[in-house]
Amino acid sequence: MADNYITCRENGGSINISEEVISSLVRSAVLEVEGVAGLSNTAGAELAERVGLKMINKGVKLQFSEGVIIVDAIITVAYGCNIMNVAKSVQEKVQELLVSTTGIEQAQVNVHVCGVAFDK
């Protein structure tokens, strides 16, 4: 169970939160940020999707190490938006989300801007 769950140990036992649940919440929060055009996959994940493997965590990678959640969000920014401001807004939004939904206050949010989306 430890591979797919983030576990918080308390005096009364442990609380296990599925990484998929947290990824879904993070994806939703990132897409709410003004200037984010979408989430992207890494090259390996895109190749896996092309051969028919469904990627649940598109654009979001989670790690949990020594009580810290490490989130990597891979985003595409809308053309004309300030990339630094959008990335900082994503960091703030995800950190607020993690505190409010998991109670874990130690989070590292890394934002990777992989492209710019132009209007058609």
Side-chain angles (χ1 to χ4, degrees), residues 36 38 52 95 98 108:
V36 172
Q95 286 178 338
L98 292 172
Q108 178 181 333

Side-chain angles (χ1 to χ4, degrees), residues 8-23:
C8 304
R9 303 211 187 285
E10 301 286 329
N11 291 338
S14 65
I15 299 169
N16 303 297
I17 305 169
S18 168
E19 288 182 7
E20 186 176 328
V21 168
I22 294 173
S23 288

Side-chain angles (χ1 to χ4, degrees), residues 29 88-105 107 109:
K88 286 177 185 177
S89 294
V90 167
Q91 286 178 319
E92 291 168 4
K93 182 92 170 182
V94 171
Q95 286 178 338
E96 290 171 8
L97 168 90
L98 292 172
V99 170
S100 68
T101 59
T102 67
I104 298 172
E105 294 184 6
V109 180

